[in-house]
């Protein structure tokens, strides 16, 4: 399938999921995850009108950002090592993987130096899988409350990754769980502004995520395709 055909195919499936859930399709935004593809393919994604680009490692993203950083909006979606904050800050408008206090403190420090406010998603390990990063649901409220006082960090929402399931329907409790956590945090008024966004859903499970309230889906293989192996 060509990129154009893949974009159309994904668009139709997103619209159908929105319709099933009674949601407006404008409320679901797509991040094209380019981590599996070359600089040329990433440029082609931008040429086709996709605006949001997702990368999960600075080592792989650097040459793409250097060439294309002034086009599109860049999202850092992978686990972020504290010593890499200096590389990504000011370049990625959104960081989807805030999962610990030491990282929050480093982001605050570096954002303050650059006089910017870093938009972040707090990553939650809803499924409880040991291999997954993220705060536990129990740790989340007190963490959010503390970070809300950091002047250079804007928490825009929550992010999670569901386990890969042969039957995507089985991911539903994970996505529903993230939505309920967001609603609970908002009900408790723990943040300056209510949290609006849910970053959840990948190629295998984005339709279920949309039905459960995703506002950002992160799509790699189904949308951008895969041409190089990413570790
Ligand atoms: C790779 C990756 C994606 C996209 O994965 P696909 O299954 O190819 O859509 C989404 N989110 C994160 C955090 C990723 O690392």
């Amino acid at each position: 399938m060509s990129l154009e055909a893949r974009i159309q195919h994904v668009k139709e499936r997103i619209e159908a999921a929105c319709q099933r859930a009674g949601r407006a399709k404008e409320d679901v935004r797509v991040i094209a995850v380019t981590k599996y593809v070359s600089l040329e393919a990433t440029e082609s994604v931008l040429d086709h009108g996709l605006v949001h680009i997702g990368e999960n490692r600075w080592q792989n993203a650097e040459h793409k950002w250097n060439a294309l950083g002034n086009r599109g909006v860049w999202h850092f979606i992978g686990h972020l090592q504290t010593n890499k904050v200096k590389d990504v800050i000011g370049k990625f408008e959104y960081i989807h993987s805030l999962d610990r206090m030491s990282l929050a403190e480093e982001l605050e420090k570096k954002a303050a130096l650059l006089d910017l406010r870093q938009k972040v998603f707090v990553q939650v390990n809803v499924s409880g899988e040991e291999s997954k990063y993220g705060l536990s649901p129990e740790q989340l409220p007190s963490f959010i409350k503390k970070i809300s006082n950091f002047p250079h960090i804007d928490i825009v929402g929550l992010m999670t990754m569901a386990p890969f399931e042969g039957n995507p329907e089985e991911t539903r409790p994970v996505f529903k769980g993230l939505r309920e956590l967001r609603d609970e945090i908002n009900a408790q008024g723990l943040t300056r502004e209510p949290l609006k966004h849910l970053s959840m859903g990948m190629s295998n499970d984005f339709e279920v995520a949309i039905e459960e309230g995703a506002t950002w889906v992160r799509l790699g293989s189904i949308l951008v395709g895969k041409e190089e192996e990413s570790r």
Side-chain angles (χ1 to χ4, degrees), residues 148-168:
S148 296
N149 296 319
F150 286 24
H152 298 90
I153 293 186
D154 254 337
I155 311 173
V156 298
L158 305 179
M159 179 273 213
T160 200
M161 289 174 80
F164 182 90
E165 299 286 358
N167 175 7

Side-chain angles (χ1 to χ4, degrees), residues 33 35-36 56 77-78 159 161 201-204 218-222 226:
V33 177
K35 68 186 188 192
Y36 304 117
N56 71 333
I77 62 172
M159 179 273 213
M161 289 174 80
M202 303 170 35
S203 291
N204 185 54
R218 309 179 306 265
L219 302 178
S221 35
I222 200 171
K226 256 183 185 180

Side-chain angles (χ1 to χ4, degrees), residues 61-205:
E62 184 171 4
H63 69 290
K64 299 178 194 172
W65 193 89
N66 287 338
L68 303 169
N70 59 351
R71 300 181 57 189
V73 175
W74 291 67
H75 296 248
F76 195 87
I77 62 172
H79 181 67
L80 182 54
Q81 290 169 279
T82 308
N83 65 6
K84 292 286 188 310
V85 167
K86 63 179 184 331
D87 299 321
V88 305
I89 197 115
K91 300 188 176 87
F92 288 79
E93 185 162 335
Y94 294 84
I95 292 173
H96 289 244
S97 49
L98 175 56
D99 61 354
R100 59 196 190 280
M101 191 54 72
S102 56
L103 179 59
E105 285 165 352
E106 181 67 9
L107 286 167
E108 169 61 32
K109 201 166 98 188
K110 292 289 190 284
L113 285 175
L114 293 177
D115 194 23
L116 57 82
R117 283 163 74 100
Q118 179 66 53
K119 296 193 194 96
V120 301
F121 290 80
V122 176
Q123 184 170 356
V124 189
N125 185 356
V126 179
S127 68
E129 275 182 298
E130 275 192 29
S131 60
K132 293 255 189 302
Y133 291 107
L135 292 150
S136 70
E138 293 72 34
Q139 294 169 313
L140 187 65
S142 65
F143 182 83
I144 295 257
K145 201 169 169 207
K146 278 197 199 114
I147 307 300
S148 296
N149 296 319
F150 286 24
H152 298 90
I153 293 186
D154 254 337
I155 311 173
V156 298
L158 305 179
M159 179 273 213
T160 200
M161 289 174 80
F164 182 90
E165 299 286 358
N167 175 7
E169 189 54 38
E170 287 173 27
T171 60
R172 189 176 297 277
V174 173
F175 298 138
K176 178 168 183 273
L178 196 71
R179 168 167 48 85
E180 290 173 349
L181 285 166
R182 180 198 59 187
D183 294 346
E184 182 60 27
I185 284 160
N186 288 342
Q188 291 182 32
L190 299 181
T191 50
R192 286 185 292 231
E193 304 268 329
L195 300 186
K196 202 168 147 201
H197 291 289
L198 295 173
S199 168
M200 59 186 195
M202 303 170 35
S203 291
N204 185 54
D205 53 23

